[in-house]
Amino acid sequence: MGIDSILVWLLVGAIAGWLAGLIVRGGGFGLVGNVVIGIVGAVVAGWLLPFLGVNLGVGIFRAIINSAIGAVIVLVLLAMIRRA
């Protein structure tokens, strides 16, 4: 894995985390937190969406959409844990 792949992961994670923070009110964790949430969301979506048979988008847009969906799931779960 080269430095360019790592930069793309970080960029996709940042965008996905930012989008998820906008969708889930009060769910933003700052730039670094959003990147982490976006990357974790990408892992969640990479496992969950193919399992459900969901296939959205193509290329980098697919990565951003799927990561954002996964990040929203992660933020909702974190919000539920905070309330408990």
Side-chain angles (χ1 to χ4, degrees):
M1 180 185 316
I3 189 75
D4 55 341
S5 296
I6 293 171
L7 290 175
V8 169
W9 275 33
L10 292 175
L11 180 65
V12 168
I15 293 170
W18 174 72
L19 286 172
L22 290 177
I23 293 169
V24 179
R25 294 280 182 187
F29 290 97
L31 180 62
V32 175
N34 285 348
V35 170
V36 171
I37 294 294
I39 292 171
V40 171
V43 172
V44 168
W47 172 79
L48 184 63
L49 294 181
F51 179 73
L52 297 174
V54 176
N55 190 7
L56 302 170
V58 177
I60 192 77
F61 295 110
R62 177 182 184 174
I64 292 171
I65 291 168
N66 289 345
S67 298
I69 291 170
V72 166
I73 292 168
V74 169
L75 285 176
V76 167
L77 289 175
L78 285 174
M80 291 172 71
I81 291 170
R82 279 188 197 171
R83 290 181 189 158

